[in-house]
Amino acid sequence: MAKGNRIRSFIGISLWLAAAPAMAAWTHLGPATQVEHTPAASTFRCPDAIVRLEAIGEHVLRVRMTPGNAFGRDFSWALTGDTPRGTLKRLEGHAQEDGETLSTGALTARVHTRPLRIDILDADGRTLLHDEPERGMGWRRVNDECIAVRVWQEMPDGVRIYGLGEKAGPLNHAGRALSMWNTDAWGYGPTTDPLYKSIPFFIMEHNGRYHGVFFDNPWRTSFDFGGQDRNVMSFGAEGGELDYYVIAGPGPKDVLRRYTDLTGRLELPPKWALGYHQCRYSYYPEARVREIAETFRAKSIPCDVLYFDIDYMDGYRSFTWNPHWFPNPRKLTDDLKAMRFHTVAIIDPGIKREPGDPVYDSGTAINAWLRRPDGRPYVGRVWPGECVFPDFTNPAVRDWWSALFPPFLEACGVDGIWNDMNEPANFAGPNKTLPLDIRFDNEGESKSHRACHNVYGQQMARATLEGIRRARPDHRPFTMTRATYAGGQRYGAAWTGDNISSWEHLQLSLTMTMQLGVSGMPFVGPDIGGFGGSATPELYARWIQAGSLLPYARTHTASGTPDQEPWSYGPDVEAIARDSLRRRYELMPYLYTLFEECSRTGVPIVRPIWMEFPGEHPWFEDTAFMLGSAILVWPIVRAGEQEQHISLPPGVWFDWHTGEIHAGGQPVLVPAGLDHLPLFVRAGSIVPMQSAVESTMETPAEPLVLDVWPFGHAEGSLYEDDGESLAYRQGRFCRSQFTCEAAEDEMTLALPACTQTAGQGAPLIRLHGLGRPVNSVKVRRDSSEITGQPSSPAEDGILSSPGAFRFDPASGVWLIRAAPRDHQQTVRVRLGPDENANREAVRLRFDEEKRPIPYHRGVLPPVYSQGGVEVAVRRAGNPQLLLPRMRLSAEALPVLKVRLATEHATSLGVRFATRQEPTLSDRPAMKFAIRPDGRVHEYSFDLRQASDGRWSGTVYWVMLSFPDNNRQGERIRVETVAFEPAAGP
Ligand code: GLC
């Protein structure tokens, strides 16, 4: 045993012994006295507990601890059931006197046995989790039924924690203590906890590397991430086993893929569910529903789904319709379908206690209700008055429940079901729920409410989903729930409950959507505009701008609040809402592709920025997000904003609205008046779009528009199928990967064929931010090549023949018609000279306001004085200064003239990026000798020559670096930088 380990375990034992009396309430694991190994697991027996480590595939390690001498039933509400087996190898080389080293492949557990403490390391030997020597795992009896379990681990400074499902407050949970107990949390705030959902899974980030921990325990659980003691984290439950899965990264997407390997993924929803949803508590009578539908169509505001909240019911009885307000629901939903609307109805779990009611009677006949300890059904109170509650943890009850749907759906024709009040909520109960001693079947092993509370909503959604499937086996179902548990993503969508019309809630709605996505639950969104209270026009405008780009996009409001439809806030806000929703529908091919990707990988549709740029965070607002990996959305979440400072992530970015190009890793100031949502596209993306429609049931005039944001190599993917049936499972879909390669004067797009889906037509290509004219287009399919014809800008008709192209002056975009997609094709675009590039000498002068250094590395912030810029080197290395963006014709201006002074650097490196070769950092620097005497000298370099002709084309960025002999504290002064024509003839 290494000396360090021996000392540590000695300290561990002494601390354990010393600490035991002080913490009388908890018992901590003592020494392991026996170890048993099987190929996949190792079991350690301690005097009054057992611990098992199990390899779940190569990348997941399960840790299980229970007091006593036997584990309970190995059962989970979260796991899919096809958990992979792994091999837990004993690493002989690392064997320790006081323990074992075990490995799943990607994860290693060092188990110290006296007392039993575990460290978990990744493949590179970095510690991911480290049991606190003093406490490690422990337990304490709470009452006759429950023994609480918990683990304490060390938490190094700088660790960030994300996930845990529906949590308000900041994205990073470090420093907070949080818990899980599904709660009807009307009007919650940033510090309200717990909320409606329990997803005890979190992702930890340390130094840009990520791993996950899933604590699979549905009891009331709690988590403390350094809230009590800055360097200690702990998690535990009030009952059940300490049963957690450590999930290897190193990237956040790796963690999510593996977590959703275990707990399942969202099934591909019907496409209509990705449209815009309009709800209120409640639209009734029927005439009001029709009026809403007609107004959407009359005003050409896109909308796919209308909702029936509880007032559609007869006395709030689930599965009934109020005959007075809705005399013929089937006719209504059919008429709405003809107007291209789908419909969703709410179904609550509280069933009115009313003999004679068919649902009550049939449930009573099979003993469907949750029971009191004396065996009688528990009676609570919800909307209908006195209610009983189905026991969804009983498979027979789920079966009975799902059988209620085929006749109901057939009779009324609604398409989707929304499950609410399923925490379960109870107006009569303690803490707005059922008493804790209520009995549940718990899938055949009867337990109290304590053990099953957190899965009630999840199991209700499961039974509802099954019901819709039974009714319409060939269609993709849509369900939505308020409460759920880990793995609930398998049963559909969810929303973030009863929020409030306030700016703070707009902010929360964005972080909560992201947090749920990080927790494996991707199809989520808030009540846009806020549920309680009333929004100002400005707030609604900002909310629909941002909310229309969330996975689930629904406006909803409480009863008694003012109207909250997109047109309720006057013509200006109506126009903003229309534009925002049109953008959602234009993005439908991209959005649908993201959903399909998510259904295979678990990577959410809406992502915190660090998920795309691991390790990047300090610059960003929590509310900014990535829609897929191409689009950066920067919602405006405060009143009165006219412009916005945005910290662009690394890379190169296009402004969605103007096509202007920006170097990433720097702040930019953009306009943000009320009608303007800051949006950026990652350079090198191809975003599949379509023309706007008012409903996904419409065929767009342009079914496929490929928006190319070129910068060197660009790519994008597209998933297509019929959008509603299950035929995709039989291979009836197309997944296409589009690419665009830009050379000096030419761009080549490759479009694969897609023959599976109907109505393909020929895509329209839109080339953004070119800055140069398109001279000619050639489309090649198989062996034939078509030469495209230019059409005049005045002709605003659709470009009809393959290869036809024109400039659209309104958007500054070049449009090109591709050929139909029944064959693969390449589109070759020849570009003319850049008329706008600087051809006459350019001389940069630096002043803070107009020509600041946009990006610098390794130096203290630049100081601008007398037209020059001065920096002090922060650390020895390779200090860099990126010059302001310029469009230069390299051919015309090959000579760089600089005046600068350095104290130690003996060389100056110059790198440049052209539109065709975007990444400055990939280019080797041209090196030029300079004089390290601290005095200003003027130098002149021929870039063309020095770069062997690669200094060519239109140049956007030039970076100066000082790689040699620079010292910390060294001062560098750059005065003029000029690009000039070649000297002499
Ligand atoms: C709950 C739901 C809300 C719904 C209302 C009436 O408050 O969270 O969305 O409108 O009940 O059904």
Side-chain angles (χ1 to χ4, degrees), residues 6-79:
R6 213 176 304 145
I7 293 171
R8 195 172 50 170
S9 65
F10 170 75
I11 295 174
I13 294 170
S14 353
L15 285 176
W16 170 65
L17 292 172
M23 289 184 286
W26 288 96
T27 309
H28 296 276
L29 280 178
T33 49
Q34 222 185 309
V35 189
E36 293 149 29
H37 300 284
T38 62
S42 295
T43 307
F44 299 83
R45 293 185 180 274
C46 300
D48 21 50
I50 353 177
V51 174
R52 178 171 297 159
L53 301 189
E54 193 181 339
I56 309 290
E58 205 189 318
H59 296 97
V60 177
L61 177 72
R62 180 182 184 190
V63 181
R64 219 175 150 190
M65 186 281 288
T66 189
N69 55 16
F71 287 110
R73 169 175 75 153
D74 194 0
F75 172 80
S76 167
W77 297 105
L79 303 190

Side-chain angles (χ1 to χ4, degrees), residues 184 186 196 280-281 309-310 346 348 383 418 420-421 482 495 497-498 527 531 554 556-558:
D184 178 0
W186 195 96
Y196 304 89
R280 87 159 288 133
Y281 171 17
D309 201 340
I310 50 173
I346 194 168
D348 285 342
W383 309 117
W418 161 27
D420 186 24
M421 307 298 278
R482 193 168 72 176
W495 92 109
D498 296 341
D527 286 348
F531 181 70
R554 180 183 77 156
H556 183 39
T557 184

Side-chain angles (χ1 to χ4, degrees), residues 272-530:
W272 60 262
L274 275 56
Y276 170 66
H277 302 231
Q278 178 68 38
C279 188
R280 87 159 288 133
Y281 171 17
S282 308
Y283 289 127
Y284 72 99
E286 171 179 332
R288 177 68 178 147
V289 180
R290 290 183 185 274
E291 186 187 332
I292 295 291
E294 278 153 17
T295 313
F296 269 105
R297 295 301 175 243
K299 289 180 172 291
S300 297
I301 297 174
C303 178
D304 257 84
V305 196
L306 297 178
Y307 277 64
F308 299 106
D309 201 340
I310 50 173
D311 292 293
Y312 83 86
M313 298 178 191
D314 186 9
Y316 304 128
R317 291 173 190 84
S318 283
F319 301 98
T320 65
W321 287 80
N322 181 308
H324 179 65
W325 289 328
F326 294 94
N328 189 346
R330 180 78 215 205
K331 169 93 176 53
L332 173 62
T333 57
D334 284 349
D335 290 350
L336 291 173
K337 201 51 78 52
M339 295 173 73
R340 292 158 288 135
F341 288 102
H342 283 75
T343 48
V344 171
I346 194 168
I347 290 282
D348 285 342
I351 300 297
K352 191 176 177 79
R353 184 172 70 156
E354 184 181 51
D357 172 85
V359 176
Y360 178 76
D361 286 351
S362 64
T364 303
I366 65 145
N367 283 327
W369 317 126
L370 291 175
R371 307 191 154 261
R372 303 171 0 149
D374 65 11
R376 286 185 295 147
Y378 172 76
V379 181
R381 197 156 49 74
V382 205
W383 309 117
E386 285 197 337
C387 286
V388 288
F389 301 85
D391 181 358
F392 293 110
T393 67
N394 181 338
V397 175
R398 291 199 299 270
D399 189 54
W400 159 77
W401 179 263
S402 65
L404 298 171
F405 284 91
F408 174 72
L409 295 177
E410 176 55 32
C412 69
V414 301
D415 302 284
I417 296 292
W418 161 27
N419 286 156
D420 186 24
M421 307 298 278
N422 51 4
E423 290 68 36
N426 175 17
F427 302 154
N431 302 316
K432 300 218 260 181
T433 187
L434 276 50
L436 293 179
D437 59 359
I438 294 304
R439 303 302 299 178
F440 282 61
D441 176 73
N442 190 37
E443 207 84 2
E445 187 183 77
S446 175
K447 280 257 155 55
S448 79
H449 186 196
R450 291 186 176 90
C452 299
H453 175 83
N454 284 343
V455 300
Y456 190 81
Q458 183 205 41
Q459 293 305 306
M460 180 188 189
R462 175 183 180 181
T464 300
L465 181 73
E466 193 47 42
I468 306 179
R469 284 196 185 123
R470 268 162 103 144
R472 302 187 183 124
D474 300 330
H475 283 67
R476 296 180 216 168
F478 175 75
T479 61
M480 211 229 334
T481 185
R482 193 168 72 176
T484 196
Y485 179 66
Q489 65 270 16
R490 304 199 293 275
Y491 309 126
W495 92 109
T496 56
D498 296 341
N499 60 359
I500 299 289
S501 302
S502 70
W503 290 97
E504 182 173 61
H505 267 276
L506 165 55
Q507 294 162 28
L508 288 182
S509 74
L510 300 166
T511 51
M512 288 168 74
T513 300
M514 279 184 256
Q515 206 74 275
L516 280 158
V518 167
S519 314
M521 188 87 204
F523 195 5
V524 290
D527 286 348
I528 293 175

Side-chain angles (χ1 to χ4, degrees), residues 500-620:
I500 299 289
S501 302
S502 70
W503 290 97
E504 182 173 61
H505 267 276
L506 165 55
Q507 294 162 28
L508 288 182
S509 74
L510 300 166
T511 51
M512 288 168 74
T513 300
M514 279 184 256
Q515 206 74 275
L516 280 158
V518 167
S519 314
M521 188 87 204
F523 195 5
V524 290
D527 286 348
I528 293 175
F531 181 70
S534 50
T536 60
E538 184 189 7
L539 175 62
Y540 186 76
R542 291 307 196 185
W543 212 323
I544 193 114
Q545 267 173 355
S548 62
L549 293 176
L550 297 180
Y552 174 65
R554 180 183 77 156
T555 292
H556 183 39
T557 184
S559 68
T561 60
D563 284 357
Q564 190 156 283
E565 287 83 44
W567 54 84
S568 309
Y569 297 91
D572 292 351
V573 176
E574 179 183 322
I576 290 169
R578 184 185 296 102
D579 287 351
S580 303
L581 294 172
R582 276 178 178 240
R583 180 163 53 219
R584 181 182 183 85
Y585 280 77
E586 284 167 2
L587 278 166
M588 194 55 76
Y590 179 66
L591 197 60
Y592 193 56
T593 302
L594 291 176
F595 268 80
E596 195 274 338
E597 179 196 335
C598 175
S599 75
R600 279 182 295 116
T601 64
V603 175
I605 295 118
V606 155
R607 309 168 187 171
I609 287 167
W610 54 259
M611 192 171 278
E612 284 298 322
F613 300 91
E616 293 285 334
H617 29 67
W619 308 53
F620 306 114

